Amino acid sequence: MVKAELIEEPQVLKETELVKVDNVPDVDVAIEQWDAYQKLCKGLLNDTDYQEIIVKEKDEDGNYIKVKRHFKKKSAWQKLSRAFNVDTEIVNRDIERTKMGRVREAYYCVRATLPNGRSVESDALCSRSEKGKDKVSDHTIMSTAKTRATNRAIAELIGAGETSAEEMTAEKIAGQSKFLKEGNTS
């Protein structure tokens, strides 16, 4: 005797539907959680956890203007990491050296994990070709890449999605990096 059971077909979203209703979070809960994060930052972080950086932004007329913005530094991300009980570990690293043995560029990939098992991997690099990095120590190149990757992983994991102060100098090197040319991302 052969038994048969009815297997339901997975529901296919219609073109007009953006998401299934079952997947939409409770808006009030999401807002409460974001408010709690903002309150945590205000209570946990202080002025020393932020770096003021002047950035160029477009105004209403499309003209570029210089604006002061505050970005969280490594100390802020470490405090938030501790508050959320985030564990971080280096997944991968690669160091490119000059013919003389100096560090030219460092690449790090860091995994951040919450106690519930949710994790995120983020990578970053630091290059001697960045503005202000040509005369720094080898350690500074390596530690800056590690800090950028760690900060990114923590920010992505806790849902902040913010750019850290340590990354703000990295934007001009995107096309120059050996690691990016080989298909890696930062």
Coordinates of all heavy atoms in Angstrom, one line a residue, residues 33-34 36-46 49-50 71-88 112-115 150-164:
Q33 N 12.8 49.4 19.4 CA 14.2 48.8 19.5 C 15.2 49.9 19.0 O 16.3 50.1 19.5 CB 14.3 47.6 18.6 CG 13.6 46.4 19.2 CD 13.6 45.2 18.3 OE1 13.8 45.3 17.1 NE2 13.3 44.0 18.9
W34 N 14.8 50.7 18.0 CA 15.7 51.7 17.5 C 15.8 52.8 18.5 O 16.9 53.3 18.7 CB 15.2 52.3 16.1 CG 16.1 53.3 15.6 CD1 15.9 54.7 15.5 CD2 17.5 53.1 15.2 NE1 17.0 55.3 15.0 CE2 18.0 54.4 14.8 CE3 18.3 52.0 15.0 CZ2 19.3 54.6 14.3 CZ3 19.6 52.2 14.5 CH2 20.0 53.5 14.2
A36 N 15.6 52.4 21.7 CA 16.4 51.9 22.8 C 17.9 51.9 22.4 O 18.8 52.3 23.2 CB 16.0 50.4 23.0
Y37 N 18.2 51.7 21.1 CA 19.6 51.8 20.6 C 20.1 53.3 20.8 O 21.2 53.5 21.3 CB 19.7 51.3 19.2 CG 21.1 51.6 18.6 CD1 22.2 50.9 18.9 CD2 21.3 52.7 17.7 CE1 23.5 51.1 18.4 CE2 22.5 53.0 17.1 CZ 23.6 52.2 17.5 OH 24.8 52.5 17.0
Q38 N 19.3 54.2 20.3 CA 19.6 55.6 20.4 C 19.8 56.0 21.9 O 20.8 56.7 22.2 CB 18.5 56.5 19.8 CG 18.3 56.3 18.4 CD 19.4 56.8 17.5 OE1 20.5 57.2 17.9 NE2 19.2 56.7 16.2
K39 N 19.0 55.5 22.8 CA 19.1 55.8 24.2 C 20.4 55.2 24.8 O 21.1 55.9 25.6 CB 17.9 55.3 25.0 CG 17.8 55.7 26.4 CD 16.6 55.2 27.1 CE 16.6 55.5 28.6 NZ 15.4 55.0 29.3
L40 N 20.7 54.0 24.4 CA 21.9 53.3 24.8 C 23.1 54.2 24.4 O 24.0 54.4 25.2 CB 22.0 51.9 24.2 CG 23.3 51.2 24.5 CD1 23.4 50.8 25.9 CD2 23.4 49.9 23.6
C41 N 23.2 54.6 23.1 CA 24.3 55.4 22.6 C 24.4 56.7 23.5 O 25.5 57.1 23.8 CB 24.1 55.8 21.2 SG 24.4 54.4 20.1
K42 N 23.3 57.4 23.7 CA 23.4 58.6 24.5 C 23.9 58.4 25.9 O 24.6 59.2 26.5 CB 22.0 59.3 24.5 CG 21.6 59.9 23.2 CD 20.3 60.6 23.3 CE 19.9 61.1 21.9 NZ 18.5 61.6 21.8
G43 N 23.5 57.3 26.5 CA 23.9 57.0 27.9 C 25.3 56.4 28.0 O 26.0 56.6 29.0
L44 N 25.7 55.6 27.0 CA 26.9 54.9 27.1 C 28.1 55.6 26.5 O 29.2 55.6 27.0 CB 26.8 53.6 26.3 CG 27.9 52.5 26.3 CD1 28.0 52.0 27.8 CD2 27.5 51.4 25.4
L45 N 27.9 56.4 25.5 CA 29.0 57.1 24.7 C 29.1 58.5 25.2 O 28.1 59.2 25.6 CB 28.7 57.0 23.2 CG 28.5 55.6 22.7 CD1 28.2 55.7 21.2 CD2 29.6 54.7 23.0
N46 N 30.3 59.1 25.1 CA 30.5 60.5 25.4 C 31.3 61.2 24.3 O 31.6 60.5 23.3 CB 31.2 60.6 26.8 CG 32.5 59.9 26.8 OD1 33.4 60.1 25.9 ND2 32.8 59.2 27.9
D49 N 34.2 59.6 22.4 CA 33.9 58.4 21.5 C 33.5 58.8 20.1 O 33.2 58.0 19.3 CB 32.7 57.6 22.1 CG 33.1 57.0 23.4 OD1 34.2 56.4 23.5 OD2 32.3 57.0 24.4
Y50 N 33.6 60.1 19.8 CA 33.2 60.6 18.5 C 34.4 61.5 17.9 O 35.1 62.1 18.7 CB 32.0 61.5 18.6 CG 30.7 60.7 18.9 CD1 30.3 60.6 20.2 CD2 29.9 60.2 17.9 CE1 29.2 59.9 20.5 CE2 28.8 59.5 18.2 CZ 28.4 59.3 19.5 OH 27.3 58.7 19.9
F71 N 31.4 61.0 13.8 CA 31.5 59.6 13.5 C 32.0 58.9 14.8 O 32.9 59.3 15.5 CB 32.5 59.3 12.3 CG 32.0 59.9 11.1 CD1 32.3 61.2 10.7 CD2 31.1 59.2 10.2 CE1 31.9 61.8 9.5 CE2 30.7 59.7 9.0 CZ 31.0 61.0 8.7
K72 N 31.4 57.7 15.0 CA 31.8 56.9 16.2 C 33.3 56.4 15.9 O 33.6 55.9 14.9 CB 30.9 55.7 16.4 CG 29.5 56.2 16.9 CD 28.6 54.9 17.1 CE 27.3 55.3 17.7 NZ 26.4 55.8 16.7
K73 N 34.1 56.5 17.0 CA 35.5 56.0 16.9 C 35.5 54.5 17.5 O 34.5 54.0 17.9 CB 36.4 56.8 17.7 CG 36.5 58.3 17.2 CD 37.6 59.1 17.9 CE 37.6 59.1 19.4 NZ 38.6 60.0 20.0
K74 N 36.7 53.9 17.4 CA 36.9 52.6 17.9 C 36.3 52.4 19.3 O 35.7 51.4 19.6 CB 38.4 52.2 17.9 CG 38.7 50.9 18.4 CD 40.2 50.6 18.3 CE 40.5 49.2 18.9 NZ 42.0 48.9 18.7
S75 N 36.6 53.4 20.2 CA 36.1 53.3 21.6 C 34.6 53.1 21.7 O 34.1 52.4 22.5 CB 36.6 54.5 22.4 OG 36.0 55.7 21.9
A76 N 33.9 53.8 20.8 CA 32.4 53.7 20.8 C 32.0 52.3 20.4 O 31.1 51.7 21.0 CB 31.8 54.7 19.8
W77 N 32.6 51.8 19.3 CA 32.2 50.4 18.8 C 32.6 49.4 19.9 O 31.9 48.4 20.0 CB 32.8 50.2 17.5 CG 32.3 51.1 16.4 CD1 32.9 52.1 15.8 CD2 30.9 51.1 16.0 NE1 32.0 52.7 15.0 CE2 30.7 52.2 15.1 CE3 29.8 50.4 16.4 CZ2 29.5 52.5 14.5 CZ3 28.5 50.7 15.8 CH2 28.4 51.7 14.8
Q78 N 33.7 49.6 20.6 CA 34.1 48.6 21.6 C 33.0 48.6 22.8 O 32.7 47.6 23.3 CB 35.5 48.9 22.2 CG 36.6 48.6 21.2 CD 36.6 47.2 20.7 OE1 36.6 46.3 21.5 NE2 36.6 47.0 19.4
K79 N 32.6 49.8 23.2 CA 31.6 49.9 24.2 C 30.3 49.3 23.8 O 29.6 48.6 24.5 CB 31.3 51.4 24.6 CG 32.4 52.0 25.3 CD 32.1 53.5 25.6 CE 33.2 54.2 26.4 NZ 32.9 55.6 26.6
L80 N 29.8 49.5 22.5 CA 28.6 48.9 22.0 C 28.8 47.4 21.9 O 27.8 46.6 22.2 CB 28.2 49.5 20.7 CG 27.8 51.0 20.7 CD1 27.7 51.6 19.4 CD2 26.4 51.0 21.4
S81 N 30.0 47.0 21.5 CA 30.2 45.5 21.4 C 30.0 44.9 22.8 O 29.4 43.8 22.9 CB 31.7 45.3 20.9 OG 32.0 43.9 20.9
R82 N 30.6 45.5 23.8 CA 30.4 45.0 25.2 C 29.0 45.0 25.6 O 28.5 44.1 26.2 CB 31.3 45.8 26.1 CG 31.3 45.2 27.5 CD 32.3 46.0 28.4 NE 32.2 45.5 29.7 CZ 33.1 44.7 30.3 NH1 34.3 44.5 29.7 NH2 33.0 44.3 31.6
A83 N 28.2 46.1 25.3 CA 26.8 46.2 25.7 C 26.0 45.1 25.1 O 25.1 44.6 25.7 CB 26.3 47.6 25.3
F84 N 26.3 44.8 23.8 CA 25.5 43.8 23.1 C 26.1 42.4 23.3 O 25.6 41.4 22.7 CB 25.4 44.1 21.6 CG 24.4 45.2 21.3 CD1 24.8 46.5 21.3 CD2 23.1 44.8 21.0 CE1 23.8 47.5 21.0 CE2 22.2 45.8 20.7 CZ 22.5 47.2 20.7
N85 N 27.2 42.3 24.0 CA 27.9 41.0 24.2 C 28.3 40.3 22.9 O 28.1 39.2 22.7 CB 27.0 40.0 25.0 CG 27.9 39.0 25.7 OD1 29.1 39.1 25.9 ND2 27.2 37.9 26.1
V86 N 28.9 41.2 22.1 CA 29.4 40.7 20.7 C 30.8 40.1 20.9 O 31.7 40.7 21.5 CB 29.4 41.9 19.7 CG1 30.1 41.5 18.4 CG2 28.0 42.5 19.5
D87 N 31.0 39.0 20.3 CA 32.3 38.3 20.2 C 32.9 38.6 18.8 O 32.1 38.4 17.8 CB 32.2 36.8 20.5 CG 33.5 36.1 20.5 OD1 34.5 36.7 21.0 OD2 33.5 35.0 20.0
T88 N 34.1 39.0 18.7 CA 34.7 39.2 17.4 C 36.0 38.3 17.2 O 36.6 37.9 18.2 CB 35.2 40.6 17.2 OG1 36.1 41.0 18.2 CG2 34.0 41.6 17.2
A112 N 31.8 39.0 13.6 CA 31.2 39.4 14.9 C 30.0 38.5 15.1 O 29.2 38.3 14.2 CB 30.8 40.9 14.8
T113 N 29.9 38.0 16.3 CA 28.8 37.1 16.7 C 28.1 37.5 17.9 O 28.7 37.8 18.9 CB 29.4 35.7 16.8 OG1 30.2 35.3 15.7 CG2 28.3 34.6 17.0
L114 N 26.8 37.4 17.9 CA 25.9 37.6 19.1 C 25.8 36.3 19.8 O 25.9 35.2 19.3 CB 24.6 38.1 18.7 CG 24.5 39.6 18.2 CD1 23.1 39.9 17.6 CD2 24.8 40.6 19.3
P115 N 25.4 36.4 21.1 CA 25.2 35.1 21.9 C 24.1 34.2 21.3 O 24.2 33.0 21.5 CB 24.7 35.7 23.3 CG 25.3 37.0 23.4 CD 25.3 37.6 22.0
T150 N 36.7 45.4 12.2 CA 36.0 45.1 13.4 C 34.8 46.0 13.6 O 33.7 45.6 13.9 CB 36.9 45.1 14.6 OG1 38.0 44.2 14.4 CG2 36.3 44.8 15.9
N151 N 35.1 47.3 13.5 CA 34.0 48.3 13.6 C 32.8 48.0 12.7 O 31.7 48.1 13.0 CB 34.5 49.7 13.4 CG 35.5 50.2 14.5 OD1 35.7 49.5 15.5 ND2 36.1 51.3 14.2
R152 N 33.2 47.7 11.4 CA 32.1 47.4 10.4 C 31.3 46.2 10.8 O 30.1 46.2 10.7 CB 32.8 47.1 9.1 CG 32.7 48.1 8.1 CD 33.2 47.6 6.8 NE 33.8 48.8 6.1 CZ 34.3 48.7 4.9 NH1 34.5 47.6 4.3 NH2 34.8 49.8 4.3
A153 N 32.0 45.1 11.3 CA 31.3 43.9 11.6 C 30.3 44.2 12.8 O 29.2 43.7 12.8 CB 32.3 42.8 12.0
I154 N 30.8 44.9 13.8 CA 29.9 45.2 15.0 C 28.7 46.1 14.5 O 27.6 45.8 14.9 CB 30.7 46.0 16.1 CG1 31.8 45.0 16.6 CG2 29.8 46.5 17.2 CD1 32.8 45.7 17.5
A155 N 29.0 47.1 13.7 CA 27.9 48.0 13.2 C 26.9 47.2 12.4 O 25.7 47.4 12.6 CB 28.5 49.2 12.4
E156 N 27.3 46.4 11.5 CA 26.4 45.6 10.7 C 25.6 44.6 11.6 O 24.4 44.4 11.4 CB 27.2 44.8 9.6 CG 27.7 45.7 8.5 CD 28.5 44.9 7.5 OE1 28.3 43.7 7.3 OE2 29.4 45.5 6.9
L157 N 26.3 44.0 12.5 CA 25.6 43.0 13.4 C 24.5 43.6 14.3 O 23.4 43.0 14.4 CB 26.6 42.3 14.2 CG 26.1 41.1 15.1 CD1 25.6 40.0 14.2 CD2 27.2 40.6 16.0
I158 N 24.8 44.7 14.9 CA 23.8 45.3 15.7 C 22.8 46.2 15.0 O 21.9 46.8 15.6 CB 24.4 46.1 16.9 CG1 25.2 47.3 16.4 CG2 25.3 45.2 17.8 CD1 25.8 48.2 17.6
G159 N 23.0 46.3 13.7 CA 22.0 47.0 12.9 C 22.2 48.5 12.8 O 21.3 49.2 12.4
A160 N 23.3 49.0 13.3 CA 23.6 50.5 13.2 C 23.9 50.9 11.8 O 23.4 52.0 11.4 CB 24.7 50.8 14.2
G161 N 24.7 50.2 11.1 CA 25.0 50.5 9.7 C 25.7 51.8 9.5 O 25.6 52.5 8.5
E162 N 26.4 52.3 10.5 CA 27.1 53.6 10.5 C 28.5 53.4 10.0 O 29.1 52.4 10.2 CB 27.1 54.2 11.9 CG 25.7 54.5 12.4 CD 25.7 54.9 13.8 OE1 26.2 55.9 14.1 OE2 25.1 54.1 14.6
T163 N 29.1 54.4 9.5 CA 30.5 54.4 9.1 C 31.3 54.9 10.3 O 31.0 55.9 10.9 CB 30.7 55.4 7.9 OG1 29.9 55.0 6.8 CG2 32.2 55.4 7.5
S164 N 32.4 54.2 10.6 CA 33.2 54.6 11.7 C 34.2 55.7 11.3 O 34.5 55.9 10.1 CB 34.0 53.4 12.3 OG 35.0 53.0 11.4

